[in-house]
Amino acid sequence: MTKILYGKPVAEAVKEGLKSRIADLNDKGLQPGLAVLLVGEDPASCVYVRNKSRACEELGIFSETIRLPRDTEQSRLNAKIDELNADPRFHGILVQMPLPKGLSEREVVRRILPEKDVDGFHPFNVGSMVQGIPTFLPCTPAGIMKMMEYYDIRPAGKHVVIVGRSNIVGKPMANLLCQKSPRANATVTLCHTATENLQAHTLQADILIAAAGMPGMIREEMVREGVIVIDVGVNRIPDPTAKNGTRLCGDVDFDRVSCKAAAITPVPGGVGLMTIAMLMQNTVEAAENCLK
Ligand code: GUN
């Protein structure tokens, strides 16, 4: 029987664990705060940002969503980040990616103070992560590590194949999994758009992590029997049978691949919920760091 790895119980456990930490902060006169900056009106980004703000509300984290128009200039965006860096109500700052064309993500991730960088994207925090120094970890890879722990999936000594080399998921995921620690210690292969014979690699995977942003790209013939599949893709595709004419699907052909897999995450309902839970955790940690 294939095990379905739902994100909900794991995300709930993480959020439950945060409640007492938030209460402790409140006792000390501090309410954790998160500023979310959204530039433009990308529909997927709007949904993510709304979900992040709901999660804050549910936990009693102060949050504000700042919306800037699509044609915002880099200097205006930079000035807004500087303002949030200086605002003591916000312990964490998140700029929703991707940014509209013409704006530099590279400039943005360097502009946010490392101590407010709850996305874990600042080169200072990325460097710490690579060296195994405790820091804010990017939320999706950190959420996947947490999910594996919850479901007692042990990557140590196993071959993990990651498809996708983004700064948000693929690259940090590869780094976390090859750390010399009991919950990591995997042998990692990182595949990307220039990988020759992708299937030859994915067939080697004990654990396959799909983070390419291509609907259904991982097909049944690309995985071996008994594989564990983590699907990070969130793609909106046309579906005439759906009420609004579209539906969400992952990077994995779930119906066919799940027949061969020992365990698989669903989309929606899998990794996505973890990203938000880990963002909440990083925000609480950022607030706690202010008292140290
Ligand atoms: N876009 C997709 N995932 C993320 C994320 O984890 N953080 C930010 N800031 N943008 C994203």
mmCIF file of all heavy atoms in Angstrom, residues 121 129 138 141 165-177:
data_model
loop_
_atom_site.group_PDB
_atom_site.id
_atom_site.type_symbol
_atom_site.label_atom_id
_atom_site.label_comp_id
_atom_site.label_asym_id
_atom_site.label_seq_id
_atom_site.Cartn_x
_atom_site.Cartn_y
_atom_site.Cartn_z
ATOM 1 N N PHE A 121 17.145 33.528 2.635
ATOM 2 C CA PHE A 121 17.685 33.722 1.283
ATOM 3 C C PHE A 121 18.934 34.613 1.248
ATOM 4 O O PHE A 121 19.617 34.690 0.232
ATOM 5 C CB PHE A 121 16.638 34.363 0.352
ATOM 6 C CG PHE A 121 15.424 33.504 0.062
ATOM 7 C CD1 PHE A 121 14.287 34.069 -0.508
ATOM 8 C CD2 PHE A 121 15.437 32.139 0.313
ATOM 9 C CE1 PHE A 121 13.171 33.287 -0.795
ATOM 10 C CE2 PHE A 121 14.323 31.353 0.031
ATOM 11 C CZ PHE A 121 13.185 31.926 -0.527
ATOM 12 N N MET A 129 24.058 28.199 6.404
ATOM 13 C CA MET A 129 23.391 26.910 6.154
ATOM 14 C C MET A 129 24.369 25.905 5.531
ATOM 15 O O MET A 129 24.468 24.761 5.976
ATOM 16 C CB MET A 129 22.190 27.108 5.227
ATOM 17 C CG MET A 129 21.525 25.812 4.809
ATOM 18 S SD MET A 129 20.388 26.013 3.440
ATOM 19 C CE MET A 129 21.495 26.421 2.119
ATOM 20 N N PRO A 138 15.721 28.110 4.503
ATOM 21 C CA PRO A 138 14.634 28.328 3.547
ATOM 22 C C PRO A 138 13.445 27.415 3.885
ATOM 23 O O PRO A 138 13.630 26.227 4.191
ATOM 24 C CB PRO A 138 15.273 27.978 2.203
ATOM 25 C CG PRO A 138 16.728 28.214 2.414
ATOM 26 C CD PRO A 138 17.000 27.840 3.844
ATOM 27 N N PRO A 141 12.522 23.735 1.852
ATOM 28 C CA PRO A 141 13.427 22.625 2.193
ATOM 29 C C PRO A 141 13.378 22.263 3.684
ATOM 30 O O PRO A 141 13.385 21.071 4.031
ATOM 31 C CB PRO A 141 14.814 23.172 1.814
ATOM 32 C CG PRO A 141 14.549 24.243 0.826
ATOM 33 C CD PRO A 141 13.239 24.847 1.182
ATOM 34 N N ARG A 165 16.921 23.214 -9.654
ATOM 35 C CA ARG A 165 18.069 23.817 -8.955
ATOM 36 C C ARG A 165 17.801 25.256 -8.535
ATOM 37 O O ARG A 165 18.690 26.110 -8.564
ATOM 38 C CB ARG A 165 19.304 23.758 -9.844
ATOM 39 C CG ARG A 165 19.100 24.468 -11.164
ATOM 40 C CD ARG A 165 20.352 24.542 -11.984
ATOM 41 N NE ARG A 165 20.049 24.634 -13.398
ATOM 42 C CZ ARG A 165 20.947 24.553 -14.355
ATOM 43 N NH1 ARG A 165 22.205 24.351 -14.078
ATOM 44 N NH2 ARG A 165 20.580 24.665 -15.612
ATOM 45 N N SER A 166 16.553 25.574 -8.169
ATOM 46 C CA SER A 166 16.254 26.947 -7.774
ATOM 47 C C SER A 166 16.956 27.292 -6.458
ATOM 48 O O SER A 166 17.329 26.401 -5.683
ATOM 49 C CB SER A 166 14.745 27.125 -7.586
ATOM 50 O OG SER A 166 14.319 26.425 -6.434
ATOM 51 N N ASN A 167 17.131 28.606 -6.240
ATOM 52 C CA ASN A 167 17.703 29.064 -4.965
ATOM 53 C C ASN A 167 16.729 28.846 -3.818
ATOM 54 O O ASN A 167 17.120 28.810 -2.659
ATOM 55 C CB ASN A 167 18.051 30.553 -5.045
ATOM 56 C CG ASN A 167 19.245 30.801 -5.940
ATOM 57 O OD1 ASN A 167 20.127 29.949 -6.052
ATOM 58 N ND2 ASN A 167 19.279 31.955 -6.586
ATOM 59 N N ILE A 168 15.419 28.732 -4.145
ATOM 60 C CA ILE A 168 14.386 28.623 -3.107
ATOM 61 C C ILE A 168 14.228 27.177 -2.633
ATOM 62 O O ILE A 168 14.011 26.926 -1.460
ATOM 63 C CB ILE A 168 13.031 29.180 -3.640
ATOM 64 C CG1 ILE A 168 13.156 30.678 -3.929
ATOM 65 C CG2 ILE A 168 11.893 28.914 -2.682
ATOM 66 C CD1 ILE A 168 11.881 31.343 -4.440
ATOM 67 N N VAL A 169 14.353 26.215 -3.564
ATOM 68 C CA VAL A 169 14.126 24.811 -3.168
ATOM 69 C C VAL A 169 15.329 23.905 -3.490
ATOM 70 O O VAL A 169 15.968 23.365 -2.579
ATOM 71 C CB VAL A 169 12.846 24.221 -3.814
ATOM 72 C CG1 VAL A 169 12.605 22.801 -3.304
ATOM 73 C CG2 VAL A 169 11.620 25.081 -3.522
ATOM 74 N N GLY A 170 15.633 23.722 -4.769
ATOM 75 C CA GLY A 170 16.586 22.677 -5.174
ATOM 76 C C GLY A 170 17.952 22.787 -4.518
ATOM 77 O O GLY A 170 18.438 21.833 -3.901
ATOM 78 N N LYS A 171 18.573 23.986 -4.636
ATOM 79 C CA LYS A 171 19.941 24.123 -4.120
ATOM 80 C C LYS A 171 20.000 23.997 -2.591
ATOM 81 O O LYS A 171 20.828 23.238 -2.076
ATOM 82 C CB LYS A 171 20.560 25.437 -4.602
ATOM 83 C CG LYS A 171 21.093 25.325 -6.030
ATOM 84 C CD LYS A 171 21.947 26.525 -6.383
ATOM 85 C CE LYS A 171 21.246 27.352 -7.437
ATOM 86 N NZ LYS A 171 21.930 28.635 -7.696
ATOM 87 N N PRO A 172 19.126 24.726 -1.841
ATOM 88 C CA PRO A 172 19.197 24.525 -0.380
ATOM 89 C C PRO A 172 18.817 23.108 0.048
ATOM 90 O O PRO A 172 19.370 22.576 1.007
ATOM 91 C CB PRO A 172 18.209 25.564 0.176
ATOM 92 C CG PRO A 172 17.410 26.060 -0.976
ATOM 93 C CD PRO A 172 18.220 25.824 -2.205
ATOM 94 N N MET A 173 17.901 22.480 -0.683
ATOM 95 C CA MET A 173 17.490 21.101 -0.340
ATOM 96 C C MET A 173 18.692 20.165 -0.444
ATOM 97 O O MET A 173 18.929 19.323 0.431
ATOM 98 C CB MET A 173 16.387 20.667 -1.323
ATOM 99 C CG MET A 173 15.680 19.396 -0.976
ATOM 100 S SD MET A 173 14.517 19.594 0.364
ATOM 101 C CE MET A 173 15.303 18.800 1.711
ATOM 102 N N ALA A 174 19.454 20.312 -1.542
ATOM 103 C CA ALA A 174 20.641 19.464 -1.737
ATOM 104 C C ALA A 174 21.624 19.682 -0.591
ATOM 105 O O ALA A 174 22.209 18.733 -0.054
ATOM 106 C CB ALA A 174 21.296 19.801 -3.079
ATOM 107 N N ASN A 175 21.779 20.935 -0.198
ATOM 108 C CA ASN A 175 22.710 21.262 0.888
ATOM 109 C C ASN A 175 22.294 20.671 2.218
ATOM 110 O O ASN A 175 23.125 20.121 2.950
ATOM 111 C CB ASN A 175 22.816 22.780 1.020
ATOM 112 C CG ASN A 175 24.060 23.277 0.349
ATOM 113 O OD1 ASN A 175 25.145 22.945 0.804
ATOM 114 N ND2 ASN A 175 23.909 23.988 -0.736
ATOM 115 N N LEU A 176 21.023 20.806 2.547
ATOM 116 C CA LEU A 176 20.544 20.277 3.839
ATOM 117 C C LEU A 176 20.698 18.757 3.876
ATOM 118 O O LEU A 176 21.072 18.188 4.899
ATOM 119 C CB LEU A 176 19.078 20.655 4.071
ATOM 120 C CG LEU A 176 18.794 22.142 4.322
ATOM 121 C CD1 LEU A 176 17.294 22.375 4.517
ATOM 122 C CD2 LEU A 176 19.559 22.627 5.550
ATOM 123 N N LEU A 177 20.396 18.112 2.761
ATOM 124 C CA LEU A 177 20.399 16.641 2.756
ATOM 125 C C LEU A 177 21.801 16.040 2.817
ATOM 126 O O LEU A 177 21.963 14.897 3.220
ATOM 127 C CB LEU A 177 19.657 16.124 1.524
ATOM 128 C CG LEU A 177 18.140 16.141 1.689
ATOM 129 C CD1 LEU A 177 17.456 16.022 0.334
ATOM 130 C CD2 LEU A 177 17.674 15.012 2.611
#
